[in-house]
């Protein structure tokens, strides 16, 4: 993958993170939207001014346009689920890697990969490397 394609792929995949949250989360979209906002605040992933409603969450999952705290919070929650969800394609994998590097600081792409839950290391190996290249070229901002 060229470094010119990573960021657009990650942006296309961000709605997929929210779809995964809607699929794997427990509750209706109203409850899942509140959980996302609360998680973002508590885990220092962003400071939503207000809680989105379920319709907004569903719109973000279908059309994109979500503030970055939402997919970061979705990834945070998905990574802890016993069901062990994984990205559903290259764009989604890029979005998961993008959010992972935006959630924490890492010393190297290897360190970022090893900090992931074990079930995500293989599916995110190549996108973490691409995300790292994007980050070191100061494009991942």
């Amino acid at each position: 993958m060229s470094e010119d394609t990573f960021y657009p792929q990650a942006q296309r995949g961000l709605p997929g993170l929210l779809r995964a949250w809607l699929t794997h989360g427990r509750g209706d979209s109203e409850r899942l939207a509140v959980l996302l906002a609360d998680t973002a605040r508590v885990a220092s992933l962003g400071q939503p001014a207000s809680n989105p409603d379920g319709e907004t969450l569903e719109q973000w999952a279908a059309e994109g346009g979500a503030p970055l705290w939402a997919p970061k919070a979705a990834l945070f929650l998905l990574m802890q689920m016993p069901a062990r969800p994984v990205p559903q394609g290259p764009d989604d994998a890029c979005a998961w890697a993008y959010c992972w590097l935006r959630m924490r600081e890492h010393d190297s792409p290897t360190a970022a990969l090893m900090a992931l839950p074990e079930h995500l290391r293989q599916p995110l190996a190549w996108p973490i490397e691409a995300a790292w290249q994007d980050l070191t070229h100061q494009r991942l901002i």
Side-chain angles (χ1 to χ4, degrees), residues 81-96:
M81 292 186 149
R84 304 173 108 179
V86 295
Q88 298 299 301
D91 290 351
D92 286 2
C94 287
W96 288 48

Side-chain angles (χ1 to χ4, degrees), residues 1-92:
M1 164 186 311
S2 134
E3 66 184 53
D4 293 333
T5 61
F6 172 78
Y7 184 78
Q9 268 195 281
Q11 293 303 299
R12 285 191 306 268
L14 290 175
L17 258 169
L18 299 174
R19 284 191 300 275
W21 173 238
L22 285 168
T23 300
H24 295 285
R26 288 188 167 186
D28 61 21
S29 59
E30 292 292 329
R31 180 176 189 279
L32 295 175
V34 170
L35 284 171
L36 270 189
D38 287 348
T39 297
R41 290 181 195 102
V42 170
S44 300
L45 302 172
Q47 289 299 318
S50 62
N51 292 341
D53 59 28
E55 185 178 323
T56 299
L57 176 56
E58 290 175 13
Q59 181 180 4
W60 290 341
E63 301 170 16
L68 188 55
W69 63 260
K72 284 172 41 179
L75 178 62
F76 181 86
L77 292 164
L78 289 166
M79 290 172 55
Q80 299 177 52
M81 292 186 149
R84 304 173 108 179
V86 295
Q88 298 299 301
D91 290 351
D92 286 2

